[in-house]
């Protein structure tokens, strides 16, 4: 795929954050996931009065992308008020599709830091762990 812009991906995550449904936590989150196809899939957190049903923005983006046939990803940007990092569940969900995915963690000003799935989830469990049998 052609070159991509970290700033553009962060901007799309910030825009997706505006759609967040977070009446309980008031912690709105947006995500933008760049697939190797070049397409970008966005997501926001979707909360529920039954708390365990709350879904994170990152996983919404992954589910949208995979449900449209994507399997390979380049980067994910996530935007919150204070630059909060993806939760453990989202780290594992991203790990399913690779350790080298770049993760951009942004705050409400658009400032961000760059990391990777491997850095966020060292020693992770993955499909290769099934290959012992
Ligand atoms: Zn999460």
């Amino acid at each position: 795929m052609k070159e991509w812009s970290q700033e553009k991906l962060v901007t799309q995550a910030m825009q997706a954050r505006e759609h967040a449904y977070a009446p309980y936590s008031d912690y709105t989150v947006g995500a933008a996931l760049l697939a190797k196809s070049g397409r970008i899939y966005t997501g926001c957190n979707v909360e529920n009065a039954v708390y365990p049903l709350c879904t994170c923005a990152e996983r919404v983006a992954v589910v949208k992308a995979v449900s449209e046939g994507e399997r390979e990803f380049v980067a994910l940007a996530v935007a919150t008020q204070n630059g909060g990092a993806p939760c453990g569940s989202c780290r594992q969900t991203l790990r399913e599709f690779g350790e080298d995915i770049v993760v951009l963690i942004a705050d409400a000003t658009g400032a961000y830091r760059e990391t990777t799935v491997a850095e966020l989830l060292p020693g992770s469990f993955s499909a290769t762990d099934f290959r012992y049998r």
Side-chain angles (χ1 to χ4, degrees):
M1 66 169 292
K2 58 188 176 188
E3 283 198 33
W4 59 283
S5 159
Q6 292 190 340
E7 287 74 20
K8 182 183 171 193
L9 203 61
V10 166
T11 297
Q12 291 199 250
M14 293 172 72
Q15 290 170 345
R17 183 174 169 235
E18 294 171 13
H19 298 297
Y21 177 74
Y24 306 105
S25 73
D26 202 33
Y27 193 76
T28 58
V29 186
L33 178 64
L34 173 63
K36 280 192 177 164
S37 68
R39 285 189 63 186
I40 292 173
Y41 299 83
T42 60
C44 64
N45 54 331
V46 182
E47 295 185 346
N48 192 287
V50 179
Y51 286 8
L53 297 181
C54 295
T55 305
C56 298
E58 302 94 311
R59 278 181 288 143
V60 168
V62 170
V63 168
K64 283 172 68 176
V66 172
S67 70
E68 295 193 28
E70 303 285 2
R71 295 291 186 275
E72 296 182 288
F73 302 104
V74 177
L76 174 125
V78 57
T80 61
Q81 181 65 37
N82 61 349
C87 78
S89 293
C90 289
R91 295 176 192 206
Q92 183 65 43
T93 297
L94 288 166
R95 171 63 187 90
E96 180 67 20
F97 300 99
E99 287 187 296
D100 298 330
I101 299 168
V102 171
V103 179
L104 307 172
I105 301 172
D107 66 22
T109 72
Y112 65 92
R113 68 183 176 93
E114 177 181 349
T115 183
T116 64
V117 169
E119 288 177 356
L120 289 171
L121 195 64
S124 63
F125 185 88
S126 72
T128 59
D129 290 299
F130 287 123
R131 299 202 181 125
Y132 68 92
R133 53 184 177 172

